[in-house]
Amino acid sequence: MSGHERLKDYSRESHTFKVRAVLAFGVVFLLMLVLVGRLYYLQVMQYDRYVAMSDDNRVQLQPVAPTRGLIYDRNGHLLADNRPSYSVTVLKEEAKHLEQTLVDLREIIPITDREIDRFKTRLKQRRRPFESVPLRFRLTDDEIARISVNYHRLPGVRVEAELIRYYPEGQSLVHALGYVGRINEQELQKVNANNYSATHYIGKLGVERFYEDELHGQVGFQKVETNARGRVMRVLERTDPVPGKDLVLHLDMRLQQITEYLLQDRRAAVVAIDTETGGILSLVSTPGYDPNLFVTGISTKDYNGLRESDDLPLFNRAIRGRYPPGSTIKPIIALSAIDTGVVSPNYTIFDPGWYTLTTGGRKYRDWKKYGHGKVDMNEAIAQSCDTWFYSVAHKMGVVPMSKYLGMFGFGQVTSVDLPEALAAILPSKEWKRSSRRVPWYTGDSLNLSIGQGFLVATPLQLATATAVIANRGRWVQPHMLKGYRTQTEEGIQLQAPDLEQIKAKPADVQLNNPKYWENIIKGMHDVVQGPTGTARRVGSDAPYEFAGKTGTAQVVGIKQDEEYDAEKLAEIHRDHALFVAFAPLKEPKIAIAVIVENGGGGSSTAAPIARKIMDAYLLGTDPRVQEVADGES
């Protein structure tokens, strides 16, 4: 041992150890305080935040679609129903290999390329994560079974049930009701996106479109617990949706079917109106099409077949067809002439079969080759004498005629809840100058007086004008909705709508001399029940009194030296047949307009149809039953 070797200082080492131990303990204690503080911050101070974040991963808020309201006719017949349908859907978050999943699925059930394209479009438009997207609708039981046994190799694929619109009467009501279809991005931007967050369908046409807000209802919500893959484990909380309102229409389904039967697939349209309320009793446009094809998406083949048909089944003739009204407007022309004092009700002419503005000038021909001889206003209406109307039109010009036609609803949309209805064309000096860049000529007035030339009207407008005549000037707005149907303890209740809040009613027609209503109506009565009326065969045996007016609208022009010969013309170039009427005469209940395209004369084609429809409504008869009985006998 060296002399310089020092002895160990245990006392000093012990002190150094204690100092180090204290420092170490202090550091550990400080770290413990930091850890506890952090735990306190996370577990206590940030509790609400992290619970919410945890719930976001575990709990989802899902919208619940409301049940769409039903639609009934005036007698409680169901017109638009909801039926369960099964669809195959795909949840993208679970389908890791989406393209392969689609390939595998196509091996199990038939899926077209168009359905694949539509699915991918919907996938891009998906509104939130973990929202399944439909791929194919209306699965059969066999297809559901095949998918079920292959779930293990189809991640993300589900079979889901939903209520879809169903129209029990098919094409009988499509032009009156419209239909619903898949909602698209443009439509979604026009509605409350939250209220439609679980809705796949929206009204596309007609009543379904106009009353979309009432029929749709209010969306509900439910909180659901999901697993890590997003599959719903249980429902934690639910706010039920508010179902849409059930609608009751003025439509009479029996009358609608009878009307369709009488038209027998001709290109035609009929509108029948309740003269007291303005409710539309029947609205038929033939041919039609099955709206059920459009609910979940029509195939390209079926749509092209409808679109390319020469009969235009997609076209709603009743509210969008613009036709020359022909002689059906003559009562209004006569009314404008006598009420403005241009001529008196006793004004009489001699009709040689033609009229000229100047001696030796162009001949405006009457429909009767050798004329009607001596004719006053009543006979001019009853026999539809063109020459009498040429004469008064020459005297008064276009201004009174255009004004009075406008008072009866021509040239405007006066219906309340038919969104596709057209205003058609009510010509005037101003209209021709702005649209044709030429002045109005006297010959134009003569053409207007017999419902030809620039004037075009829809069957709905003709029925509306007839209802105003029946009411002696009192306006009723054509509308479909009768009320909202609710079920209470006392039974089914009907809440009437406030139509004035939807659309203001046009002003009643106030004549300078109200007694002229009876002059005009007398002429219309003599059309069907007078000794020389153009439709006297239709009204001669009627057990009630009614008034009407025939019309024949020219489709192609006939040269001065030629005569109209239907047999020499292709059917599409033949005259349209028109008839308007109201019944009974004293206390009207129904006003009707009938047009049969290329049907020839109004008295021979359109008038018999109208008579049978009025009989069915007023007397309860059914021409379908009668024809069966006649066939058996």
Side-chain angles (χ1 to χ4, degrees), residues 444-460:
D444 295 330
S445 296
L446 270 59
N447 284 331
L448 176 60
S449 72
I450 63 167
Q452 294 286 168
F454 301 116
L455 175 66
V456 290
T458 66
L460 175 63

Side-chain angles (χ1 to χ4, degrees), residues 13-14 29 53 73 141 211 241 344 363 413 496 547 576:
E13 286 183 359
S14 176
F29 183 74
M53 292 175 65
D73 84 337
D141 292 340
Y211 291 107
S344 74
K363 290 184 178 180
V413 176
H576 298 325

